[in-house]
């Protein structure tokens, strides 16, 4: 069946006449917008490309009630919100019905997001979320829509340049064929990205996840995106995704994005976790306020209601594995985006997200370091504001329990040490020269250590 396209004409109810009316942010000012790692919910693990407005609102309601006071604030609509007839378990690439405006900019599908009627876009949904004291985010693919190219739609803000004049079929996304690459040096390329961020600023978008930027690393389009956000007049946190961002791009990505994915999608299987821990080893030096290496979404709670991987289920990870995952994400200071359906959380899942001491560590700790990763043992440490030390120990071996320990001198600690187990609340003392414990396979422990010299 031939692809269909729905054109939404005359969408701008209150026009944004020029960028000159709005503040242009200065070089790397964007880092101030995410001084602590962003925390929120993303619809992907639950709903794939099929999430609907009522589901977004229900998750936002839960976040406002249960999680906001712990720092969780972003509510993100993931992929293909502009397709009227997408499907679970993959993508409809046979006869997708796209929705876009006269300038080739995708618009929310009204059959899934009813409040977007009459060209309002995501503004009503963003307003709903903002009224709860939360922030609103969306996902897009890099590039320019194929349909905009085929129909030679004009690029807003140019004098007659059309979409077919700024694109290339080279390096088109291999797994989703909605868009073409934008050639960064073409007249109209910057204006296209400017035009979409002008639209998102009008809607009230606070966060954007942009896909297919990392493998290969699309430096040219990332530059266009950074420029467009800085010109749009709204503080929009930028997340680049997915895939293993090359370490050779570390200098560039850390001066252009607030967060960037280190690995492909992390699902609820143990090998996904161990692979993440392995790849993360090279990224510790780049953990810094405003720019965060990203471990991906948290595949806990109830996932895949209409998702990409498997059927509707509670996470397949054991409780020990769940503690290991959430401990690593927190001590690494990764952005935290929960992937499960929040209203379906049980008490245990909620407890993983609302531990005050763990949240404080995630927000405030500095000097994150891996001490070792060998023989199935991992130790990661960081420092607290009060001078105490955080220490996470992991046994990632598959078959054997083993003792994982660290010399206190390696932590800069000596003398008697007060120990807090941050998950159980248990307190103890250490008077020897090392701290450690026997850990079952796939399990972990998280300590706060205070020296009493």
């Amino acid at each position: 069946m031939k692809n269909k396209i729905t054109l939404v004409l005359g969408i701008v109810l209150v026009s944004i006449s020029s960028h000159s009316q709005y503040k242009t942010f200065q070089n790397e000012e964007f880092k101030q917008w995410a001084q602590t790692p962003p925390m929120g919910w993303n619809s992907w693990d639950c709903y794939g490309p099929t999430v609907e407005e009522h589901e977004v609102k229900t998750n936002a309601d839960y976040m406002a009630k249960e999680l906001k006071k712990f720092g969780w604030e972003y509510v993100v609509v993931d992929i293909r919100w502009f397709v009227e007839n997408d499907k679970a378990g993959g993508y409809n690439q046979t006869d997708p019905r796209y929705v876009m405006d006269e300038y080739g900019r995708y618009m929310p599908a009204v059959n899934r997001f009813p409040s977007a009627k009459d060209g309002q876009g995501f503004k009503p949904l963003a307003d709903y979320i903002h009224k709860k004291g939360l922030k609103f985010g969306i996902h897009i693919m890099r590039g320019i829509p194929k349909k905009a190219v085929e129909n030679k739609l004009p690029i807003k803000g140019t004098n007659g340049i059309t979409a077919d004049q700024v694109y290339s079929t080279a390096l088109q996304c291999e797994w989703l064929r909605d868009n073409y690459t934008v050639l960064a040096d073409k007249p109209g390329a910057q204006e296209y990205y400017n035009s979409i961020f002008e639209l998102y600023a009008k809607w009230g978008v606070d966060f954007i996840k942009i896909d297919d930027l990392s493998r290969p690393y699309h430096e040219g389009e990332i530059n266009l995106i950074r420029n467009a956000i800085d010109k749009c007049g709204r503080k929009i946190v930028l997340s680049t995704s997915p895939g293993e961002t090359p370490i050779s791009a570390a200098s560039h990505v850390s001066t252009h994005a607030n967060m960037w994915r280190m690995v492909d999608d992390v699902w609820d299987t143990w090998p996904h976790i161990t692979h993440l821990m392995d790849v993360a080893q090279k990224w510790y030096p780049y953990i810094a306020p405003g720019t965060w290496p990203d471990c991906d979404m948290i595949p806990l709670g109830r996932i895949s209601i209409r998702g990409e991987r498997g059927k509707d289920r509670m996470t397949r990870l054991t409780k020990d594995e769940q503690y290991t995952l959430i401990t690593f994400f927190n001590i690494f200071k990764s952005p935290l985006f929960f992937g499960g359906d929040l209203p379906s959380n049980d008490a245990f899942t909620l407890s993983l997200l609302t531990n005050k001491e763990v949240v404080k560590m995630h927000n405030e700790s500095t000097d994150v370091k891996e001490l070792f990763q060998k023989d199935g043992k991992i130790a990661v440490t960081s420092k607290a504001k009060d001078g105490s030390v955080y220490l996470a120990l992991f046994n990632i071996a598959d078959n054997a329990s083993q003792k994982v320990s660290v010399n206190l001198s390696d932590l800069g600690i000596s003398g008697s040490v007060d120990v807090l187990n941050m998950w159980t609340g248990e307190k103890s003392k250490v008077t020897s020269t090392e701290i450690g414990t026997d850990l079952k396979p796939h399990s972990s422990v998280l300590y706060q250590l205070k020296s009493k010299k």
Side-chain angles (χ1 to χ4, degrees):
M1 185 182 295
K2 187 176 180 180
N3 287 354
K4 299 180 181 179
I5 180 172
T6 303
L7 286 176
V8 177
L9 301 176
I11 66 158
V12 181
L13 301 179
V14 179
S15 68
I16 299 176
S17 59
S18 75
H19 290 300
S20 63
Q21 297 177 354
Y22 298 89
K23 175 182 178 181
T24 297
F25 298 108
Q26 301 304 308
N27 184 42
E28 297 191 31
E29 189 175 348
F30 73 91
K31 294 181 180 180
Q32 299 301 315
W33 311 342
Q35 284 288 289
T36 59
M39 300 167 63
W41 175 82
N42 180 294
S43 64
W44 169 251
D45 285 357
C46 290
Y47 301 106
T50 72
V51 70
E52 298 178 1
E53 183 170 0
H54 67 97
E55 293 161 332
V56 177
K57 286 183 173 180
T58 300
N59 277 273
D61 293 346
Y62 181 98
M63 183 181 291
K65 180 181 178 182
E66 303 288 349
L67 298 177
K68 178 185 170 185
K69 58 183 173 286
F70 296 95
W72 300 83
E73 60 179 349
Y74 290 97
V75 177
V76 181
V77 176
D78 209 270
I79 199 164
R80 267 189 151 195
W81 39 265
F82 46 81
V83 175
E84 294 178 333
N85 61 336
D86 221 328
K87 62 175 186 172
Y91 303 100
N92 176 9
Q93 300 200 69
T94 303
D95 61 342
R97 296 196 302 271
Y98 301 110
V99 184
M100 65 180 61
D101 73 357
E102 67 267 39
Y103 296 111
R105 301 179 297 183
Y106 289 124
M107 299 290 291
V110 175
N111 64 324
R112 293 169 52 196
F113 299 93
S115 71
K117 65 182 180 180
D118 301 324
Q120 295 182 88
F122 272 131
K123 189 175 189 309
L125 179 55
D127 287 347
Y128 179 91
I129 289 168
H130 290 154
K131 286 176 183 177
K132 293 184 172 293
L134 304 174
K135 296 179 179 180
F136 177 65
I138 60 173
H139 169 290
I140 64 170
M141 300 295 297
R142 71 170 176 89
I144 192 163
K146 289 171 60 178
K147 280 298 180 182
V149 171
E150 292 167 7
N151 292 339
K152 300 183 178 180
L153 295 181
I155 294 174
K156 191 174 188 294
T158 68
N159 186 20
I161 298 175
T162 52
D164 57 300
Q165 296 174 276
V166 303
Y167 87 103
S168 171
T169 58
L171 300 178
Q172 186 183 15
C173 179
E174 295 180 357
W175 48 269
L176 187 59
R177 315 293 280 185
D178 294 337
N179 292 359
Y180 287 128
T181 297
V182 170
L183 293 172
D185 60 349
K186 289 286 187 178
Q190 184 65 68
E191 288 81 359
Y192 177 74
Y193 273 108
N194 290 350
S195 76
I196 63 174
F197 279 96
E198 174 188 290
L199 182 64
Y200 303 156
K202 180 178 75 74
W203 287 347
V205 170
D206 305 295
F207 178 98
I208 190 155
K209 172 184 171 184
I210 305 186
D211 223 324
D212 195 45
L213 281 173
S214 300
R215 191 178 59 216
Y217 188 75
H218 293 274
E219 183 172 326
E221 286 196 70
I222 291 173
N223 290 335
L224 298 178
I225 291 162
R226 178 75 267 146
N227 291 338
I229 294 175
D230 288 345
K231 292 176 182 177
C232 80
R234 187 172 182 85
K235 297 176 181 179
I236 300 177
V237 169
L238 171 60
S239 166
T240 69
S241 179
E244 297 190 7
T245 302
I247 195 67
S248 60
S251 177
H252 185 267
V253 75
S254 62
T255 54
H256 287 75
N258 295 106
M259 47 189 277
W260 57 90
R261 283 274 292 280
M262 298 183 293
V263 294
D264 288 328
D265 290 0
V266 172
W267 285 97
D268 53 331
T269 71
W270 182 246
H272 279 98
I273 300 173
T274 54
H275 175 65
L276 169 64
M277 290 172 156
D278 179 50
V279 172
Q281 292 183 86
K282 59 192 174 186
W283 286 108
Y284 284 88
Y286 298 95
I287 299 170
T291 56
W292 309 103
D294 179 16
C295 289
D296 192 27
M297 284 171 286
I298 300 169
L300 303 183
R302 183 186 178 193
I303 60 176
S304 210
I305 294 173
R306 296 191 304 277
E308 182 197 31
R309 300 283 181 93
K311 296 182 178 180
D312 186 351
R313 63 187 182 276
M314 295 299 286
T315 185
R316 294 172 293 198
L317 298 173
T318 67
K319 284 191 174 182
D320 282 341
E321 291 168 345
Q322 292 181 60
Y323 273 123
T324 291
L325 181 148
I326 203 70
T327 296
F328 184 78
F329 275 52
N330 273 281
I331 199 163
F332 188 81
K333 293 181 72 74
S334 171
L336 302 179
F337 280 83
F338 191 76
D341 179 62
L342 289 172
S344 300
N345 279 352
D346 55 19
F348 174 72
T349 304
L350 180 60
S351 75
L352 298 176
L353 311 180
T354 57
N355 182 302
K356 291 181 180 179
E357 297 301 324
V358 175
V359 168
K360 183 178 181 181
M361 175 190 71
H362 179 255
N363 287 339
E364 298 181 2
S365 62
T366 58
D367 196 23
V368 186
K369 295 179 180 178
E370 182 183 78
L371 299 177
F372 56 78
Q373 184 168 165
K374 62 182 180 180
D375 301 326
K377 304 175 183 181
I378 300 175
V380 181
T381 184
S382 61
K383 295 180 180 178
K385 277 187 173 181
D386 64 3
S388 61
V389 173
Y390 297 113
L391 176 66
L393 303 176
F394 305 90
N395 176 12
I396 63 171
D398 290 329
N399 300 314
S401 296
Q402 54 183 343
K403 184 176 182 179
V404 185
S405 61
V406 171
N407 290 326
L408 292 178
S409 60
D410 292 338
L411 302 173
I413 296 175
S414 61
S416 177
V417 178
D418 289 335
V419 181
L420 171 68
N421 183 315
M422 295 173 65
W423 287 116
T424 67
E426 180 184 359
K427 296 179 179 179
S428 59
K429 292 184 183 295
V430 172
T431 57
S432 65
T433 59
E434 70 172 25
I435 181 169
T437 189
D438 291 322
L439 293 173
K440 295 183 296 182
H442 301 188
S443 67
S444 59
V445 68
L446 179 61
Y447 294 131
Q448 185 175 13
L449 311 174
K450 295 185 179 182
S451 178
K452 299 178 66 176
K453 295 182 179 180

